[in-house]
Amino acid sequence: MLKTVLIGAGGIAWKHCEALRKLGVELSGIYDVNPVNAGRLAEAFGCPVVSDPVHAIAGADMVHILTPPSKRWEYVECALAYKKHIFMEKPVAISLEDAQRMELAAKAVPVQFMVGFTQRFRKGYRIIREWLDQGRLGDVVQAYCFRIGPGPGFGGKLNDSWRTAEGYVCGMTIESLSHDIDFLQSLAGRVIQAEGFVKGTVASLPQFDNNVNAALRFEGGGIGSITASWSSHIAFNAKGIIGTRGSVMLKGEDIWDSTCLTAKFEDGTSVCESLDDIFQEGEGYLEENRHFITCIEKNIPVGCDITVGREVLAISRKILDSSIRGR
């Protein structure tokens, strides 16, 4: 039985614990700088709280790094020193320098280093990926994500989120948009140009952005767009591909809802299907952890590694930088 130690016991850690338990992975320990958070999670899943993360990492087969993105390098460095497999939540870091340092260090160690881009493991994504591989959609003309709803900073107020906490501040463009960037880039091809505008609504925290409009250009010639907001009173989600031979859209009535699949193809056929895919119930977390474990056991490369994570962060930084230049 594989053993993992969890570093970070916030909300996302509960999803991973549920997934890992279903997959038969032993939770050998949970560490968090807030021992109360670690204690709650450990009690719920019947595993120990650890006070020394270095010792815990040394005794495990792998480590799940689930801390805020500004606090990860020391745990990555430790895991690589002990040659432990790493699963790390996205985004990989806040600074591109940290991401590059992780990528360089990982190249010297023969371990799996997976970044948790959960959207790749949802049913709708897998269907679109299959249709692209089969050629049913043709070449990508345009790819888009439109995702809005109340979130951190809604109503101009700070809420109970690490994203707006002192020392951890991480706005939408780096944190949440990483899902959309990876979704589009992994389907439509490598992003070669990215520009955008961002806006924050929390006057007391001007460095925190919670609204983004971005334009992308893909290596294959297609274009893309991302509209995202944590300030909207209305929640809605739509993402899709417009191709030369067909078009597909995933949509739902919530910021993470992608349960309605609609597609039309040049041969006149169409699809309108309701998917059993409730993101909050954790299926994406289950499938991404299953993929991670399979890659460890079979010694095959993970689908989204630290290089992918660094590339996604670089695109987020380009969007932020272009917004600053445009002001």
Side-chain angles (χ1 to χ4, degrees), residues 149-158 164 171-172 198-212 228-233 327:
F154 178 69
K157 301 175 182 178
L158 294 177
T164 56
M172 178 177 242
V198 309
K199 182 175 177 59
T201 62
V202 182
S204 62
L205 203 63
Q207 70 271 40
F208 175 75
D209 60 281
N210 54 359
N211 291 270
V212 188
S229 175
W230 281 332
S231 299
S232 176
H233 300 74
R327 287 174 182 159

Side-chain angles (χ1 to χ4, degrees), residues 146-151 154 172 211 227-239 250-259 280:
F146 183 94
R147 186 164 56 84
I148 61 172
F154 178 69
M172 178 177 242
N211 291 270
T227 296
S229 175
W230 281 332
S231 299
S232 176
H233 300 74
I234 299 168
F236 186 71
N237 183 18
K239 58 187 67 176
L250 293 166
K251 64 180 180 179
E253 300 300 323
D254 184 76
I255 196 168
W256 290 116
D257 184 358
S258 296
T259 53
Q280 289 82 355

Side-chain angles (χ1 to χ4, degrees), residues 8 37 43 76 111 114 128 143 154 197 217 234 262 268 279 281 310 323:
N37 286 348
E43 182 179 6
V76 169
V111 297
M114 180 170 167
I128 296 174
F154 178 69
F197 289 98
R217 186 178 299 277
I234 299 168
T262 303
F279 182 54
E281 292 183 0
R310 188 264 305 158
S323 183

Side-chain angles (χ1 to χ4, degrees), residues 149-167:
F154 178 69
K157 301 175 182 178
L158 294 177
N159 56 7
D160 185 20
S161 170
W162 63 265
R163 298 165 185 83
T164 56
E166 185 178 355

Side-chain angles (χ1 to χ4, degrees), residues 42-116:
E43 182 179 6
F45 288 92
C47 57
V49 173
V50 298
S51 58
D52 182 355
V54 174
H55 180 74
I57 290 170
D61 299 301
M62 55 189 177
V63 56
H64 279 64
I65 301 176
L66 312 175
T67 66
S70 59
K71 306 294 180 181
R72 292 186 177 155
W73 165 246
E74 63 180 292
Y75 305 117
V76 169
E77 185 179 35
C78 178
L80 292 175
Y82 284 107
K83 295 182 172 58
K84 305 300 180 180
H85 302 292
I86 300 170
F87 179 100
M88 188 165 69
E89 265 297 336
K90 59 84 219 157
V92 296
I94 289 179
S95 76
L96 196 53
E97 292 75 18
D98 273 358
Q100 290 167 336
R101 181 163 52 167
M102 292 178 192
E103 182 183 23
L104 182 62
K107 287 181 178 179
V109 184
V111 297
Q112 301 286 2
F113 194 153
M114 180 170 167
V115 179

Side-chain angles (χ1 to χ4, degrees), residues 110-129:
V111 297
Q112 301 286 2
F113 194 153
M114 180 170 167
V115 179
F117 289 115
T118 320
Q119 301 303 306
R120 290 191 184 206
F121 297 90
R122 299 182 68 182
K123 290 178 181 176
Y125 175 93
R126 298 200 300 267
I127 291 170
I128 296 174
R129 178 73 269 167

Side-chain angles (χ1 to χ4, degrees), residues 1 16 63 103 108 136-137 141 165 180 186 230 233:
M1 176 185 290
H16 285 288
V63 56
E103 182 183 23
R136 294 191 70 188
L137 297 172
V141 176
D180 306 299
S186 61
W230 281 332
H233 300 74

